Amino acid sequence: MAKKYNFYAGPAILPQEVMKKAQEELLDFNGIGLSIMEISHRSKDFEAVINTAETKIRALLGVPENYTIMFLQGGASLQFGMIPMNLLKGKKADYVHTGEWAKKAIKEAKLFGTVNIAGTSEDKNFSYVPENLKLSPDAQYVHITSNETIGGIQFSRFPETGGVPLIIDMSSDIFSRRIDFKNIGMIYAGAQKNIGPSGVTLVIMRNDLIEAGTDGLTTMLSYKTHAKEKSMYNTPPCFAIYIIKLVMDWIESNGGLAGIEKINNDKAKTIYDAIDGSNGYYKGTAAVKDRSKMNVTFRLPSEELEEKFINEAKKAGFIGLKGHRSVGGCRASLYNAMSLAGVSELTKFMKKFAGENA
Amino acid sequence: MAKKYNFYAGPAILPQEVMKKAQEELLDFNGIGLSIMEISHRSKDFEAVINTAETKIRALLGVPENYTIMFLQGGASLQFGMIPMNLLKGKKADYVHTGEWAKKAIKEAKLFGTVNIAGTSEDKNFSYVPENLKLSPDAQYVHITSNETIGGIQFSRFPETGGVPLIIDMSSDIFSRRIDFKNIGMIYAGAQKNIGPSGVTLVIMRNDLIEAGTDGLTTMLSYKTHAKEKSMYNTPPCFAIYIIKLVMDWIESNGGLAGIEKINNDKAKTIYDAIDGSNGYYKGTAAVKDRSKMNVTFRLPSEELEEKFINEAKKAGFIGLKGHRSVGGCRASLYNAMSLAGVSELTKFMKKFAGENA
């Protein structure tokens, strides 16, 4: 079976080198005669894995020393609740409403305090990133979703919050580009786009925010627990963390985040150029300035042609090109493990399809 | 490298057949050219995996139709909080205090209502299962820990609760034996002993309890969410669920739970006979009637000999025999994937060691 190109919005493909290494080691990790899945999380072999993963994340992302890196469970969806549960305390937070993911975060926050919608692109179906945010000086934090997988929009830079901690759901673009931790109170991400398999959530949080968390919470829902216990209060998702470690090795060998960012820029340029150069056959749905480099959303001249495009693409080995059911159209997700070659192949197919179905 | 015998309390070994199948399919699942880790959880290939896992769990455990099977995250530790959060509502629940795991469950419950300790074996260092429980007629539920990994004790049968829902943490003995769902309101288990890798928690809950859950909770902390969305409200831990499905195949091929139960009885008998037949060299720490078939705890004549035993066993390929740091001594965990042959080998080593170090 030929390797398929998976353009699904997630879980995403993983680097082939990572998958091959995982396969090689699956029955015998480090020569210990057991799988990484079959050993105690307190064993020195697993402790080396989680410690190395953490060290590499810190180095690659440039995480300052006053932030703690945690490996949690429950996906970004559990974070939507844990963040206000720990930090809102009946007070106010600013949320920028950019689509389905922001909406879910906002819904949970309302259970714990007042939500000020500091900006929204709801008026144009979440096709752009709002500017001129109406931030509250007394907000506990400002929450944004750095990349919206459905609308295909992305913050090209993060808002200036004037010292209020910025909390960013980076589930769909973490490790896709370099980031500046100035203003950042916390970033979090489900692993299954850019850093590993589903089942682990990366949380990077400034220590003063961890310490300021609400007391008296369920132990597992307090960031203090996980920070204090180094993500080992209970058994962590060991295999998923092991894969993250391998992905970090792969990012290193690709020039670190600067290298990855360049490849992602090239991939995005390749497909957006194909869209823009199609004489209007393909139309991008996001505002040009806010186009996501991770999720490229576009339409064809009709829904019938979109269906035909998706089906023929699938036959040609390009799977997962259907847009989210809530918006329709087409979507190509270009997470880190998607190669520039894969994107080039897709654009060739797009050009051919447009020629045959004009 | 020769295969080691892993007697760790968890994560435990997995059946070799399961690991080999997982390795074979790791790069190309079902001939789709992608790993099970690399495809959408909404794809038909993954949906078949989770549906099959659920169907097999229902069949193997004999789960009645009015119970819902869920695959959650966060381990039993998150359940310790979610259970009272959903079901206690400021009222009273009975908890049986049999050791470290029960204690953790009790601690979380106190955040949400009144806890009545219906029985405890704290007086004898949790070396037995309390009988003659003082149950409250007005309890919302009765909570027990069916097997305590540290003390090495196990409920051989579950208490009669007179219609009050029984909630059982079966993290360390689920799928080790047949169970009767009479009285049971809910069972839950972290996967990493008997059913899969860490990172997924199996919850089986009676539908009326799900429906009776507290309203207004964080979406991810309400059982209603996961029941309604069939464990797919957000991206589930796909790979861990896939391994559970393979483990269910393996249990089926070993005669189902009746077959597994017989093997586990034979394994337990083998090692307890070795302990009891050692003329007092090895001494079991648990009350004979409550001895765990999963975690066999024993002492040697001195701490020095225990240390020597653990070290020499390790050199001979038997790892993880050190007792929990809170109680010391030795412990052999005999989860499902440990073969009778592995236990026999250990008992041979024990006999030899006793002969040489009397």
Side-chain angles (χ1 to χ4, degrees):
Chain A
M1 185 74 193
K3 187 74 186 168
K4 294 281 180 69
Y5 292 111
N6 174 359
F7 290 94
Y8 276 119
I13 51 170
L14 289 159
Q16 273 297 291
E17 296 90 326
V18 167
M19 296 306 298
K20 282 182 181 159
K21 179 85 171 165
Q23 187 182 45
E24 270 170 37
E25 298 187 329
L26 201 72
L27 300 187
D28 184 5
F29 178 70
N30 267 0
I32 59 174
L34 291 164
S35 174
I36 185 75
M37 279 183 266
E38 298 181 293
I39 59 173
S40 172
H41 55 296
R42 310 274 178 206
S43 64
K44 69 175 184 352
D45 292 289
F46 181 73
E47 288 209 334
V49 168
I50 193 169
N51 291 340
T52 306
E54 187 194 320
T55 303
K56 292 193 176 213
I57 288 168
R58 192 176 291 278
L60 286 165
L61 268 184
V63 181
E65 281 304 312
N66 60 324
Y67 289 72
T68 297
I69 295 170
M70 293 173 265
F71 300 96
L72 307 184
Q73 296 184 58
S77 294
L78 183 58
Q79 294 307 307
F80 296 161
M82 273 179 74
I83 291 163
M85 189 184 296
N86 279 268
L87 301 176
L88 198 42
K89 304 179 178 189
K91 297 180 185 165
K92 189 197 286 183
D94 289 333
Y95 276 74
V96 183
H97 185 13
T98 45
E100 195 60 34
W101 298 107
K103 186 179 164 188
K104 289 187 175 200
I106 290 164
K107 182 186 165 209
E108 305 300 317
K110 285 180 175 171
L111 297 170
F112 300 95
T114 304
V115 172
N116 170 51
I117 303 298
T120 178
S121 49
E122 198 168 7
D123 59 330
K124 290 191 180 168
N125 206 20
F126 304 113
S127 61
Y128 68 98
V129 172
E131 293 176 356
N132 305 316
L133 302 178
K134 291 186 184 63
L135 299 175
S136 320
D138 59 339
Q140 297 295 101
Y141 57 84
V142 179
H143 183 281
I144 67 169
T145 312
S146 55
N147 183 75
E148 286 278 359
T149 57
I150 296 174
I153 57 173
Q154 187 176 25
F155 281 84
S156 53
R157 57 196 172 77
F158 301 143
E160 179 52 62
T161 57
V164 176
L166 182 62
I167 298 185
I168 315 179
D169 174 3
M170 294 197 74
S171 292
S172 54
D173 67 353
I174 195 166
F175 282 97
S176 72
R177 52 173 166 167
R178 291 166 293 178
I179 56 175
D180 178 357
F181 276 83
K182 185 192 158 203
N183 286 321
I184 290 180
M186 170 184 178
I187 61 178
Y188 65 101
Q192 65 269 15
K193 319 294 195 191
N194 272 341
I195 50 176
S198 63
V200 59
T201 315
L202 182 63
V203 170
I204 302 175
M205 197 163 178
R206 220 170 60 199
N207 295 340
D208 61 305
L209 290 183
I210 295 171
E211 285 312 310
T214 306
D215 285 317
L217 296 174
T218 300
T219 307
M220 284 290 287
L221 298 175
S222 168
Y223 293 112
K224 291 178 200 177
T225 303
H226 302 294
K228 179 166 172 267
E229 302 288 342
K230 296 179 172 288
S231 307
M232 302 263 262
Y233 171 73
N234 69 340
T235 314
C238 300
F239 185 73
I241 293 168
Y242 157 75
I243 297 286
I244 288 183
K245 187 260 168 195
L246 295 183
V247 171
M248 294 303 121
D249 292 341
W250 177 82
I251 291 176
E252 276 182 358
S253 70
N254 278 271
L257 273 199
I260 293 288
E261 184 176 324
K262 184 183 177 310
I263 299 167
N264 283 331
N265 285 341
D266 291 347
K267 282 152 57 183
K269 184 173 189 314
T270 301
I271 189 162
Y272 283 118
D273 280 354
I275 288 169
D276 294 340
S278 71
N279 291 318
Y281 190 83
Y282 299 105
K283 284 197 173 67
T285 64
V288 171
K289 73 177 177 60
D290 301 322
R291 280 174 164 178
S292 169
K293 289 172 182 171
M294 294 286 105
N295 310 96
V296 177
T297 49
F298 56 97
R299 306 295 310 232
L300 272 70
S302 71
E303 288 188 12
E304 291 68 33
L305 283 169
E306 284 166 353
E307 196 181 332
K308 190 177 181 192
F309 172 78
I310 291 160
N311 288 335
E312 292 198 6
K314 190 174 177 182
K315 282 179 204 153
F318 307 102
I319 67 171
L321 287 168
K322 194 172 179 175
H324 191 270
R325 60 188 180 280
S326 64
V327 295
C330 300
R331 170 174 58 177
S333 296
L334 318 181
Y335 298 117
N336 281 358
M338 172 59 62
S339 63
L340 179 57
V343 178
S344 295
E345 289 299 314
L346 175 63
T347 57
K348 279 181 211 160
F349 174 82
M350 287 169 70
K351 192 166 182 184
K352 180 165 168 285
F353 184 89
E356 290 168 2
N357 294 274
Chain B
M1 185 74 194
K3 187 75 185 167
K4 293 283 178 67
Y5 292 111
N6 172 359
F7 290 94
Y8 275 120
I13 50 170
L14 288 159
Q16 273 295 292
E17 296 89 328
V18 166
M19 295 307 297
K20 282 183 181 159
K21 179 85 172 166
Q23 187 182 43
E24 271 171 36
E25 296 187 330
L26 201 72
L27 300 187
D28 183 5
F29 178 70
N30 267 359
I32 59 174
L34 291 164
S35 173
I36 185 74
M37 278 183 265
E38 299 181 292
I39 59 174
S40 172
H41 56 295
R42 309 275 178 204
S43 65
K44 68 176 184 352
D45 292 289
F46 181 73
E47 288 209 333
V49 167
I50 192 168
N51 291 339
T52 306
E54 186 193 322
T55 303
K56 292 193 177 211
I57 288 168
R58 192 176 290 279
L60 286 165
L61 268 184
V63 181
E65 281 305 313
N66 59 324
Y67 290 72
T68 297
I69 295 170
M70 292 172 266
F71 301 96
L72 306 185
Q73 296 183 59
S77 294
L78 184 58
Q79 295 306 306
F80 295 161
M82 271 179 76
I83 291 163
M85 189 184 296
N86 278 266
L87 300 175
L88 198 41
K89 303 179 178 188
K91 297 179 186 166
K92 189 197 287 181
D94 289 334
Y95 276 73
V96 183
H97 185 13
T98 45
E100 197 57 36
W101 298 108
K103 185 179 165 187
K104 290 189 174 198
I106 290 164
K107 182 188 166 208
E108 305 300 318
K110 285 180 175 170
L111 296 171
F112 300 96
T114 304
V115 171
N116 171 52
I117 304 296
T120 179
S121 49
E122 199 168 8
D123 60 329
K124 291 191 180 166
N125 206 19
F126 305 113
S127 62
Y128 68 98
V129 172
E131 291 176 357
N132 305 315
L133 302 177
K134 292 186 183 65
L135 299 175
S136 321
D138 59 339
Q140 297 294 99
Y141 58 84
V142 179
H143 183 280
I144 66 168
T145 311
S146 56
N147 183 76
E148 286 277 0
T149 57
I150 296 174
I153 56 172
Q154 186 175 28
F155 281 84
S156 54
R157 56 194 173 77
F158 301 143
E160 178 54 60
T161 57
V164 176
L166 182 61
I167 297 185
I168 315 178
D169 174 3
M170 296 196 73
S171 291
S172 54
D173 69 350
I174 196 165
F175 281 97
S176 73
R177 52 173 167 168
R178 291 167 293 180
I179 56 175
D180 178 356
F181 276 83
K182 186 193 159 204
N183 286 321
I184 290 180
M186 171 183 177
I187 60 178
Y188 64 100
Q192 64 269 17
K193 319 294 196 192
N194 273 339
I195 50 176
S198 63
V200 59
T201 316
L202 182 63
V203 170
I204 303 175
M205 196 164 181
R206 220 171 60 199
N207 294 340
D208 60 305
L209 290 183
I210 296 172
E211 285 312 310
T214 306
D215 286 316
L217 296 174
T218 299
T219 307
M220 283 291 287
L221 298 174
S222 168
Y223 294 111
K224 291 178 199 176
T225 301
H226 302 293
K228 179 166 173 266
E229 302 288 342
K230 294 177 172 293
S231 307
M232 301 263 261
Y233 171 73
N234 69 340
T235 314
C238 299
F239 185 74
I241 294 169
Y242 157 75
I243 298 286
I244 289 183
K245 187 260 168 194
L246 296 182
V247 172
M248 294 302 122
D249 292 342
W250 177 82
I251 292 177
E252 276 182 358
S253 70
N254 278 272
L257 273 199
I260 292 289
E261 183 176 325
K262 185 183 178 309
I263 299 167
N264 283 331
N265 286 342
D266 290 348
K267 282 152 56 183
K269 186 174 187 314
T270 300
I271 189 161
Y272 284 118
D273 280 355
I275 288 168
D276 294 341
S278 71
N279 291 318
Y281 189 83
Y282 299 104
K283 283 196 172 69
T285 63
V288 172
K289 74 175 177 60
D290 301 321
R291 281 174 163 177
S292 170
K293 290 173 181 168
M294 296 285 104
N295 310 95
V296 177
T297 49
F298 57 97
R299 306 296 309 232
L300 272 69
S302 70
E303 289 187 11
E304 291 67 34
L305 283 168
E306 284 166 353
E307 195 181 333
K308 189 175 182 194
F309 173 79
I310 290 160
N311 289 334
E312 293 200 4
K314 191 174 177 183
K315 282 179 204 152
F318 307 102
I319 67 171
L321 286 167
K322 193 172 181 176
H324 191 269
R325 61 189 181 278
S326 63
V327 295
C330 300
R331 171 174 58 178
S333 296
L334 318 179
Y335 299 117
N336 281 357
M338 173 58 62
S339 65
L340 179 57
V343 179
S344 296
E345 289 300 315
L346 174 63
T347 57
K348 278 181 214 161
F349 173 82
M350 287 169 70
K351 194 167 180 182
K352 180 164 168 285
F353 183 90
E356 291 168 1
N357 295 276

